[in-house]
Amino acid sequence: MKKFLYVVSSFLLPLSSFLFLSCTQDAYEKGEGRYSLMRGDFAEAVVNNVRQVTKIVTDDGDELAVTSPYSAKWIAKADTTYRCMLYYNKVEGKAEVVSMGQVPCPVITPLSEFEKELKTDPVKFESTWMSKTGRYLNLSILVKTGVTDDSTAVQSLAIVSDTLITHTDGKQIRNLILYHDQGNVPQYYSTQVYISIPTNRIDADSVRISINSYDGEVVAKHHCR
């Protein structure tokens, strides 16, 4: 029996949590249809005591109540905040959620504590950017996935820190590496993956993240404070 992969160790990011299906619009829908004014944003989703999203805070800093409480299987904890990508309509100063998907916020693991061989199998690099609020460093990549009969096929991602550089002026740069293990997963098609790294987990003034792409190494640099 063929199966999709997506089982990984607890300290690695499960690819199943990355998958976010964007909304589609019928070709004939024009004018003031439900999707005509829809927008997409990275945001924080504020969850109430019954595991429903009641408010979002976008990366532009806009704080919006949702028109009706939003529930999803990935909302596992009450009274917390999740990182998400959402599509919504802005209705009378509120967010009418069309769809919402969780964006993982990985822990940065020091290389000395990383319990696996450091692998940097290639991905397709799209972009990195800092949120306008400065709270998140975001990554957009494409990973190759597929269906396989191999029950041991497991693909995984993580963020690893290898060095901290201190300059003579006291400024520090944290070097990060995108760990990627293809794990014998077939490379049939591309799947969009978003990752958000909270900047309060980066103990430096700036950050360099190394990503091995199919076109060679990409090093992205950003200021954190």
Side-chain angles (χ1 to χ4, degrees), residues 17-37:
S17 70
F18 290 15
L19 304 184
F20 181 72
L21 303 179
S22 60
C23 300
T24 58
Q25 178 178 353
D26 292 336
Y28 61 80
E29 186 172 6
K30 305 293 182 182
E32 296 301 315
R34 187 183 183 197
Y35 302 123
S36 60
L37 300 177

Side-chain angles (χ1 to χ4, degrees), residues 89-103:
N89 299 313
K90 201 169 183 179
V91 180
E92 297 179 350
K94 295 183 178 181
E96 179 191 41
V97 178
V98 177
S99 64
M100 184 185 301
Q102 183 183 9
V103 174

Side-chain angles (χ1 to χ4, degrees), residues 17-21 41-43 45 70 72 74 82-87 97 99-104 194:
S17 70
F18 290 15
L19 304 184
F20 181 72
L21 303 179
D41 278 319
F42 286 85
Y70 179 86
W74 52 265
Y82 282 91
R83 181 70 169 159
C84 70
M85 172 66 184
L86 75 153
Y87 290 96
V97 178
S99 64
M100 184 185 301
Q102 183 183 9
V103 174
Y194 294 117

